[in-house]
Amino acid sequence: MVKMPKDIHDIIIIGGGIAAHTAALYTSRASLNPLVISGHEPDQLSLTSEVENFPGFPKGILGPELVKNAKEQAQRFGAKYTEGYVDSFKKLKGYFEVWVEKTKYKARTVIIATGASARRLKIPGEDKYFGRGVSTCAVCDAALFKNKGVVVIGGGDSAMEETLALYKFAKKVTIIHRKDSFKASKIMQDRVLKLKDRVNVIFDTIVTEVLGEQFVTGVKVKNVNTNKESIINCNGVFLAIGHIPNTKMFENVVKLDKLGYIITDKRSRTNIEGVYAAGDCQDPIFRQAITSAGTACQAAIEAERYIEHLKATRNYK
Ligand code: NDP
Protein backbone atom coordinates (compact mmCIF):
# COMPACT_ATOMS: atom_id res chain seq x y z
CA MET A 1 0.00 0.00 0.00
CA VAL A 2 1.35 3.45 -0.97
CA LYS A 3 0.72 6.19 1.58
CA MET A 4 -0.24 9.39 -0.23
CA PRO A 5 0.11 12.94 1.06
CA LYS A 6 -3.27 14.54 1.90
CA ASP A 7 -2.96 17.54 -0.40
CA ILE A 8 -2.33 15.52 -3.55
CA HIS A 9 -3.94 16.37 -6.89
CA ASP A 10 -5.11 13.63 -9.20
CA ILE A 11 -3.64 15.55 -12.09
CA ILE A 12 -1.43 18.53 -12.68
CA ILE A 13 -1.08 19.97 -16.18
CA ILE A 14 1.94 22.13 -16.87
CA GLY A 15 1.60 24.68 -19.68
CA GLY A 16 -0.53 27.55 -20.88
CA GLY A 17 -1.26 26.89 -24.54
CA ILE A 18 -3.85 25.01 -26.53
CA ALA A 19 -2.44 21.62 -25.44
CA ALA A 20 -2.69 22.48 -21.73
CA HIS A 21 -6.25 23.80 -22.08
CA THR A 22 -7.33 20.76 -24.09
CA ALA A 23 -5.90 18.40 -21.46
CA ALA A 24 -7.65 20.52 -18.79
CA LEU A 25 -10.94 20.32 -20.66
CA TYR A 26 -10.86 16.54 -20.98
CA THR A 27 -9.69 15.84 -17.43
CA SER A 28 -12.12 18.33 -15.86
CA ARG A 29 -14.99 16.75 -17.77
CA ALA A 30 -13.80 13.44 -16.32
CA SER A 31 -14.18 14.99 -12.80
CA LEU A 32 -10.45 14.80 -12.09
CA ASN A 33 -10.25 18.45 -10.91
CA PRO A 34 -7.07 19.30 -12.80
CA LEU A 35 -4.75 22.04 -11.66
CA VAL A 36 -3.10 23.84 -14.58
CA ILE A 37 0.19 25.60 -13.92
CA SER A 38 0.94 28.15 -16.65
CA GLY A 39 4.10 30.21 -17.07
CA HIS A 40 4.11 33.99 -17.31
CA GLU A 41 4.93 34.18 -21.04
CA PRO A 42 2.24 33.97 -23.73
CA ASP A 43 1.98 30.70 -25.64
CA GLN A 44 2.78 30.52 -29.36
CA LEU A 45 -0.83 30.75 -30.60
CA SER A 46 -1.34 33.90 -28.57
CA LEU A 47 1.47 35.45 -30.60
CA THR A 48 -0.08 34.68 -33.96
CA SER A 49 -2.82 36.59 -35.71
CA GLU A 50 -5.44 34.81 -37.79
CA VAL A 51 -5.73 31.02 -37.42
CA GLU A 52 -7.42 29.69 -40.57
CA ASN A 53 -6.63 25.99 -40.25
CA PHE A 54 -8.27 25.02 -36.97
CA PRO A 55 -11.42 23.08 -37.92
CA GLY A 56 -14.73 24.55 -36.83
CA PHE A 57 -14.02 28.18 -37.62
CA PRO A 58 -15.00 28.71 -41.27
CA LYS A 59 -14.09 32.38 -41.12
CA GLY A 60 -10.91 31.77 -39.11
CA ILE A 61 -10.27 32.85 -35.53
CA LEU A 62 -7.61 34.99 -33.93
CA GLY A 63 -4.93 32.91 -32.16
CA PRO A 64 -5.35 34.65 -28.77
CA GLU A 65 -9.13 34.22 -28.97
CA LEU A 66 -8.84 30.50 -29.70
CA VAL A 67 -6.60 30.00 -26.67
CA LYS A 68 -8.80 32.16 -24.43
CA ASN A 69 -11.91 30.23 -25.50
CA ALA A 70 -10.22 26.88 -24.84
CA LYS A 71 -9.24 28.01 -21.33
CA GLU A 72 -12.75 29.25 -20.56
CA GLN A 73 -14.16 25.97 -21.84
CA ALA A 74 -11.94 24.03 -19.42
CA GLN A 75 -12.79 26.38 -16.53
CA ARG A 76 -16.48 25.83 -17.18
CA PHE A 77 -15.96 22.20 -16.15
CA GLY A 78 -13.96 23.10 -13.04
CA ALA A 79 -10.31 23.23 -14.18
CA LYS A 80 -8.31 25.46 -11.83
CA TYR A 81 -5.41 27.62 -13.02
CA THR A 82 -2.39 29.09 -11.31
CA GLU A 83 0.54 31.03 -12.76
CA GLY A 84 4.23 30.42 -12.21
CA TYR A 85 7.37 28.84 -13.60
CA VAL A 86 8.12 25.23 -12.80
CA ASP A 87 11.59 25.18 -11.25
CA SER A 88 11.90 21.48 -10.68
CA PHE A 89 10.06 18.23 -11.09
CA LYS A 90 10.61 15.15 -8.95
CA LYS A 91 9.44 11.57 -9.03
CA LEU A 92 8.75 10.18 -5.56
CA LYS A 93 7.28 6.85 -4.49
CA GLY A 94 3.88 6.72 -6.20
CA TYR A 95 3.52 10.42 -6.91
CA PHE A 96 5.24 13.52 -8.34
CA GLU A 97 6.37 16.80 -6.87
CA VAL A 98 6.22 19.99 -8.93
CA TRP A 99 8.05 23.00 -7.50
CA VAL A 100 6.72 26.31 -8.74
CA GLU A 101 8.59 29.39 -7.55
CA LYS A 102 9.05 27.93 -4.03
CA THR A 103 5.54 26.42 -3.81
CA LYS A 104 5.33 22.63 -3.83
CA TYR A 105 2.48 20.79 -5.56
CA LYS A 106 1.92 17.04 -5.50
CA ALA A 107 0.18 14.95 -8.13
CA ARG A 108 -0.58 11.35 -8.99
CA THR A 109 -0.28 12.12 -12.71
CA VAL A 110 1.26 14.95 -14.68
CA ILE A 111 0.69 16.13 -18.25
CA ILE A 112 3.56 18.21 -19.58
CA ALA A 113 2.44 20.70 -22.23
CA THR A 114 5.11 23.37 -21.95
CA GLY A 115 5.47 23.97 -25.68
CA ALA A 116 8.49 25.13 -27.60
CA SER A 117 9.71 28.60 -28.28
CA ALA A 118 10.77 29.61 -31.76
CA ARG A 119 14.37 30.72 -31.65
CA ARG A 120 14.63 34.47 -32.18
CA LEU A 121 17.37 36.57 -33.73
CA LYS A 122 17.29 39.31 -31.07
CA ILE A 123 17.81 42.09 -33.61
CA PRO A 124 16.27 45.58 -33.69
CA GLY A 125 12.71 45.65 -35.05
CA GLU A 126 12.11 41.91 -34.54
CA ASP A 127 9.89 42.30 -31.46
CA LYS A 128 8.33 45.56 -32.61
CA TYR A 129 7.04 44.00 -35.84
CA PHE A 130 6.22 40.55 -34.48
CA GLY A 131 2.66 39.84 -35.69
CA ARG A 132 2.94 42.82 -38.03
CA GLY A 133 5.00 41.09 -40.69
CA VAL A 134 7.42 39.09 -38.56
CA SER A 135 6.26 35.52 -38.02
CA THR A 136 7.59 32.14 -36.97
CA CYS A 137 4.90 30.07 -38.69
CA ALA A 138 4.34 30.12 -42.45
CA VAL A 139 1.69 27.40 -42.26
CA CYS A 140 -0.27 29.78 -40.00
CA ASP A 141 0.40 33.07 -41.77
CA ALA A 142 1.39 32.42 -45.42
CA ALA A 143 -2.06 33.27 -46.80
CA LEU A 144 -1.76 36.78 -45.36
CA PHE A 145 1.11 37.45 -47.78
CA LYS A 146 -0.68 36.83 -51.06
CA ASN A 147 1.20 38.56 -53.91
CA LYS A 148 3.66 40.09 -51.45
CA GLY A 149 7.41 39.81 -51.06
CA VAL A 150 8.69 37.83 -48.08
CA VAL A 151 12.02 36.69 -46.68
CA VAL A 152 12.72 33.42 -44.89
CA ILE A 153 15.70 33.34 -42.54
CA GLY A 154 17.47 30.01 -41.94
CA GLY A 155 18.94 27.09 -43.81
CA GLY A 156 17.39 23.99 -42.21
CA ASP A 157 14.39 21.82 -43.11
CA SER A 158 12.05 24.32 -41.43
CA ALA A 159 13.30 27.12 -43.68
CA MET A 160 12.64 24.91 -46.73
CA GLU A 161 9.21 24.01 -45.45
CA GLU A 162 8.35 27.64 -44.70
CA THR A 163 9.47 28.56 -48.22
CA LEU A 164 7.24 25.88 -49.78
CA ALA A 165 4.26 27.11 -47.75
CA LEU A 166 4.92 30.74 -48.68
CA TYR A 167 5.54 30.00 -52.37
CA LYS A 168 1.84 29.15 -52.75
CA PHE A 169 0.88 32.74 -51.97
CA ALA A 170 3.79 35.15 -52.11
CA LYS A 171 4.96 37.03 -55.19
CA LYS A 172 8.59 36.38 -54.26
CA VAL A 173 10.33 34.44 -51.48
CA THR A 174 13.94 35.31 -50.61
CA ILE A 175 15.79 32.84 -48.39
CA ILE A 176 18.58 34.43 -46.40
CA HIS A 177 21.11 32.04 -44.88
CA ARG A 178 24.23 32.83 -42.87
CA LYS A 179 26.37 30.08 -44.49
CA ASP A 180 27.29 29.22 -48.09
CA SER A 181 25.18 26.05 -48.17
CA PHE A 182 21.98 24.79 -46.60
CA LYS A 183 21.79 22.46 -43.62
CA ALA A 184 18.44 21.09 -44.86
CA SER A 185 18.05 17.55 -46.22
CA LYS A 186 18.78 17.18 -49.93
CA ILE A 187 15.21 16.28 -50.79
CA MET A 188 13.86 19.44 -49.15
CA GLN A 189 16.54 21.60 -50.78
CA ASP A 190 15.74 20.13 -54.19
CA ARG A 191 12.06 20.90 -53.79
CA VAL A 192 12.84 24.52 -53.01
CA LEU A 193 15.67 25.13 -55.44
CA LYS A 194 13.62 24.07 -58.45
CA LEU A 195 11.18 26.93 -57.77
CA LYS A 196 13.53 29.39 -59.45
CA ASP A 197 10.77 31.57 -60.88
CA ARG A 198 9.79 33.07 -57.51
CA VAL A 199 12.38 31.80 -54.99
CA ASN A 200 15.70 33.56 -54.61
CA VAL A 201 18.52 32.48 -52.25
CA ILE A 202 21.07 34.76 -50.62
CA PHE A 203 23.92 32.90 -48.88
CA ASP A 204 26.60 34.15 -46.50
CA THR A 205 24.30 36.84 -45.22
CA ILE A 206 22.80 37.79 -41.87
CA VAL A 207 19.81 39.96 -41.15
CA THR A 208 20.73 42.79 -38.80
CA GLU A 209 17.47 44.73 -38.52
CA VAL A 210 13.79 44.52 -39.38
CA LEU A 211 12.55 47.75 -40.90
CA GLY A 212 9.01 49.07 -41.01
CA GLU A 213 6.43 51.74 -40.50
CA GLN A 214 3.12 50.38 -39.25
CA PHE A 215 4.04 46.99 -40.76
CA VAL A 216 7.28 45.46 -42.04
CA THR A 217 8.74 47.17 -45.11
CA GLY A 218 12.10 45.42 -45.37
CA VAL A 219 15.19 43.99 -43.70
CA LYS A 220 18.72 45.28 -43.38
CA VAL A 221 21.29 42.59 -44.25
CA LYS A 222 25.04 42.19 -44.10
CA ASN A 223 27.28 39.92 -46.17
CA VAL A 224 29.47 38.02 -43.69
CA ASN A 225 32.46 37.91 -46.08
CA THR A 226 32.51 41.51 -47.30
CA ASN A 227 30.59 43.22 -44.45
CA LYS A 228 28.67 45.05 -47.16
CA GLU A 229 25.24 46.15 -45.94
CA SER A 230 22.11 46.48 -48.03
CA ILE A 231 18.32 46.61 -47.70
CA ILE A 232 15.85 44.08 -49.05
CA ASN A 233 12.28 45.33 -49.41
CA CYS A 234 9.64 42.86 -48.21
CA ASN A 235 6.35 42.68 -46.31
CA GLY A 236 6.97 39.49 -44.39
CA VAL A 237 9.91 38.11 -42.41
CA PHE A 238 9.73 34.44 -41.47
CA LEU A 239 12.15 33.21 -38.83
CA ALA A 240 13.03 29.54 -39.36
CA ILE A 241 16.12 29.23 -37.22
CA GLY A 242 14.96 26.37 -35.05
CA HIS A 243 12.79 25.86 -31.98
CA ILE A 244 13.72 25.31 -28.39
CA PRO A 245 11.41 22.93 -26.49
CA ASN A 246 10.67 24.12 -22.96
CA THR A 247 11.71 20.91 -21.26
CA LYS A 248 14.89 21.66 -19.31
CA MET A 249 13.20 21.30 -15.91
CA PHE A 250 12.10 17.74 -16.74
CA GLU A 251 15.37 16.39 -18.15
CA ASN A 252 16.36 14.53 -14.98
CA VAL A 253 13.07 12.61 -14.88
CA VAL A 254 11.70 12.06 -18.37
CA LYS A 255 13.61 10.96 -21.43
CA LEU A 256 14.34 13.65 -24.02
CA ASP A 257 15.65 13.23 -27.55
CA LYS A 258 18.88 14.84 -28.69
CA LEU A 259 17.08 18.09 -29.54
CA GLY A 260 15.47 18.25 -26.10
CA TYR A 261 11.97 17.13 -27.11
CA ILE A 262 10.20 14.77 -24.68
CA ILE A 263 10.02 11.26 -26.11
CA THR A 264 6.45 9.95 -26.17
CA ASP A 265 4.82 6.86 -27.59
CA LYS A 266 1.73 6.83 -29.81
CA ARG A 267 -0.43 7.27 -26.72
CA SER A 268 1.36 10.40 -25.43
CA ARG A 269 3.04 8.41 -22.64
CA THR A 270 6.58 9.27 -21.56
CA ASN A 271 9.06 6.73 -20.18
CA ILE A 272 7.68 7.42 -16.67
CA GLU A 273 4.40 5.80 -15.66
CA GLY A 274 1.89 8.53 -14.84
CA VAL A 275 3.66 11.25 -16.83
CA TYR A 276 2.35 12.27 -20.25
CA ALA A 277 3.45 14.92 -22.71
CA ALA A 278 1.49 16.76 -25.38
CA GLY A 279 1.93 19.54 -27.90
CA ASP A 280 5.13 21.13 -29.11
CA CYS A 281 7.32 20.06 -26.17
CA GLN A 282 7.22 16.55 -27.68
CA ASP A 283 6.78 17.36 -31.38
CA PRO A 284 9.67 18.57 -33.55
CA ILE A 285 7.78 17.88 -36.78
CA PHE A 286 4.14 19.01 -37.00
CA ARG A 287 3.89 21.83 -34.42
CA GLN A 288 0.29 22.69 -35.28
CA ALA A 289 -2.49 23.85 -32.97
CA ILE A 290 -4.61 20.90 -34.02
CA THR A 291 -1.87 18.32 -33.36
CA SER A 292 -1.21 19.93 -29.98
CA ALA A 293 -4.87 19.63 -29.09
CA GLY A 294 -4.93 16.07 -30.44
CA THR A 295 -1.97 14.82 -28.45
CA ALA A 296 -3.34 16.58 -25.35
CA CYS A 297 -6.63 14.74 -25.76
CA GLN A 298 -4.67 11.47 -25.91
CA ALA A 299 -2.64 12.38 -22.83
CA ALA A 300 -5.78 13.29 -20.88
CA ILE A 301 -7.57 10.04 -21.72
CA GLU A 302 -4.45 8.04 -20.83
CA ALA A 303 -4.12 9.89 -17.51
CA GLU A 304 -7.76 9.25 -16.73
CA ARG A 305 -7.34 5.52 -17.42
CA TYR A 306 -4.21 5.41 -15.30
CA ILE A 307 -6.02 7.01 -12.36
CA GLU A 308 -8.85 4.50 -12.77
CA HIS A 309 -6.22 1.77 -12.70
CA LEU A 310 -4.70 3.22 -9.49
CA LYS A 311 -8.15 3.33 -7.90
CA ALA A 312 -8.79 -0.28 -8.83
CA THR A 313 -5.44 -1.66 -7.71
CA ARG A 314 -4.21 0.43 -4.77
CA ASN A 315 -5.48 1.98 -1.60
CA TYR A 316 -6.27 5.21 -3.43
CA LYS A 317 -6.83 7.54 -0.49
P1 NDP B 1 17.70 23.36 -37.61
O1 NDP B 1 18.39 23.50 -36.33
O2 NDP B 1 17.87 22.11 -38.40
O3 NDP B 1 18.15 24.56 -38.58
C1 NDP B 1 18.20 25.87 -38.14
C2 NDP B 1 18.80 26.74 -39.25
O4 NDP B 1 18.75 28.08 -38.78
C3 NDP B 1 20.25 26.38 -39.58
O5 NDP B 1 20.46 26.52 -40.96
C4 NDP B 1 21.03 27.43 -38.79
O6 NDP B 1 22.21 27.85 -39.40
C5 NDP B 1 20.09 28.60 -38.81
N1 NDP B 1 20.28 29.44 -37.62
C6 NDP B 1 20.26 29.06 -36.32
N2 NDP B 1 20.45 30.12 -35.53
C7 NDP B 1 20.62 31.19 -36.36
C8 NDP B 1 20.86 32.56 -36.13
N3 NDP B 1 20.96 33.07 -34.90
N4 NDP B 1 20.98 33.37 -37.20
C9 NDP B 1 20.86 32.88 -38.46
N5 NDP B 1 20.61 31.57 -38.74
C10 NDP B 1 20.49 30.75 -37.69
O7 NDP B 1 16.17 23.68 -37.28
P2 NDP B 1 14.87 23.34 -38.10
O8 NDP B 1 13.76 23.99 -37.37
O9 NDP B 1 15.05 23.67 -39.53
O10 NDP B 1 14.72 21.75 -37.96
C11 NDP B 1 14.65 21.13 -36.68
C12 NDP B 1 14.50 19.62 -36.85
O11 NDP B 1 13.21 19.31 -37.39
C13 NDP B 1 15.53 19.05 -37.82
O12 NDP B 1 15.91 17.79 -37.38
C14 NDP B 1 14.77 18.95 -39.11
O13 NDP B 1 15.29 17.96 -39.96
C15 NDP B 1 13.36 18.61 -38.61
N6 NDP B 1 12.34 19.05 -39.57
C16 NDP B 1 11.99 18.19 -40.57
C17 NDP B 1 11.09 18.57 -41.51
C18 NDP B 1 10.74 17.61 -42.60
O14 NDP B 1 11.40 16.61 -42.74
N7 NDP B 1 9.71 17.89 -43.37
C19 NDP B 1 10.46 19.89 -41.51
C20 NDP B 1 10.94 20.75 -40.43
C21 NDP B 1 11.85 20.33 -39.53
P3 NDP B 1 23.48 26.87 -39.60
O15 NDP B 1 23.17 26.05 -40.81
O16 NDP B 1 24.58 27.84 -39.77
O17 NDP B 1 23.57 26.07 -38.34
Side-chain angles (χ1 to χ4, degrees), residues 121 154-158 161 177-179 183 188 240-242 284 287:
L121 283 169
D157 280 331
S158 292
E161 207 166 63
H177 182 39
R178 63 183 177 183
K179 290 206 179 120
K183 177 182 179 185
M188 293 294 279
I241 58 171
R287 297 197 286 250

Side-chain angles (χ1 to χ4, degrees), residues 12-305:
I12 282 181
I13 297 162
I14 306 171
I18 190 76
H21 302 321
T22 304
L25 171 63
Y26 271 78
T27 51
S28 56
R29 287 193 76 240
S31 304
L32 294 175
N33 306 313
L35 174 70
V36 185
I37 302 171
S38 308
H40 306 295
E41 306 277 324
D43 63 290
Q44 288 196 69
L45 262 189
S46 297
L47 295 173
T48 59
S49 42
E50 195 82 34
V51 178
E52 292 176 335
N53 54 9
F54 201 93
F57 301 96
K59 293 185 178 140
I61 183 167
L62 292 173
E65 199 183 337
L66 178 59
V67 176
K68 186 172 149 279
N69 288 350
K71 181 174 175 178
E72 278 174 19
Q73 198 174 349
Q75 284 173 319
R76 187 179 138 215
F77 293 101
K80 295 277 178 296
Y81 283 75
T82 187
E83 199 179 295
Y85 283 121
V86 172
D87 301 313
S88 77
F89 178 62
K90 289 182 189 149
K91 180 180 182 304
L92 300 175
K93 219 172 162 46
Y95 68 100
F96 303 95
E97 249 179 32
V98 184
W99 286 84
V100 182
E101 298 171 10
K102 298 200 177 113
T103 305
K104 181 170 66 176
Y105 297 94
K106 288 159 249 167
R108 288 183 165 91
T109 64
V110 174
I111 296 179
I112 303 172
T114 43
S117 308
R119 194 172 277 133
R120 305 281 281 265
L121 283 169
K122 302 194 174 89
I123 54 170
E126 184 186 29
D127 285 345
K128 183 173 174 193
Y129 293 108
F130 203 92
R132 289 192 280 154
V134 177
S135 169
T136 52
C137 179
V139 175
C140 321
D141 295 337
L144 308 174
F145 293 87
K146 202 167 178 184
N147 295 325
K148 301 207 162 137
V150 296
V151 302
V152 173
I153 305 169
D157 280 331
S158 292
M160 301 303 116
E161 207 166 63
E162 300 282 276
T163 302
L164 294 172
L166 286 159
Y167 180 80
K168 293 182 192 144
F169 299 95
K171 188 160 72 181
K172 186 176 174 193
V173 186
T174 302
I175 306 172
I176 303 174
H177 182 39
R178 63 183 177 183
K179 290 206 179 120
D180 64 358
S181 62
F182 288 132
K183 177 182 179 185
S185 55
K186 183 162 180 333
I187 186 168
M188 293 294 279
Q189 290 193 39
D190 288 348
R191 273 185 209 158
V192 164
L193 294 173
K194 73 176 184 208
L195 307 173
K196 287 194 179 71
D197 59 331
R198 284 187 287 120
V199 174
N200 172 36
V201 181
I202 304 180
F203 285 121
D204 286 329
T205 297
I206 56 169
V207 175
T208 55
E209 187 174 349
V210 178
L211 308 168
E213 286 158 15
Q214 202 186 343
F215 294 94
V216 166
T217 56
V219 287
K220 197 186 266 185
V221 297
K222 184 163 91 170
N223 182 293
V224 293
N225 300 320
T226 62
N227 282 336
K228 192 175 165 235
E229 290 191 309
S230 54
I231 285 171
I232 298 172
N233 294 325
C234 62
N235 302 105
V237 178
F238 285 79
L239 306 172
I241 58 171
H243 280 76
I244 307 168
N246 304 315
T247 55
K248 189 110 188 90
M249 55 290 216
F250 307 107
E251 68 184 359
N252 295 327
V253 181
V254 298
K255 249 194 201 155
L256 309 181
D257 71 11
K258 64 180 188 329
L259 297 171
Y261 290 90
I262 296 171
I263 297 172
T264 51
D265 67 6
K266 283 185 185 160
R267 289 159 61 177
S268 299
R269 297 178 298 191
T270 70
N271 61 310
I272 303 293
E273 199 177 51
V275 181
Y276 309 87
D280 287 8
C281 66
Q282 53 85 59
D283 174 14
I285 298 169
F286 302 107
R287 297 197 286 250
Q288 298 298 299
I290 189 69
T291 48
S292 287
T295 49
C297 161
Q298 293 181 180
I301 292 173
E302 283 295 330
E304 183 188 349
R305 286 181 185 158

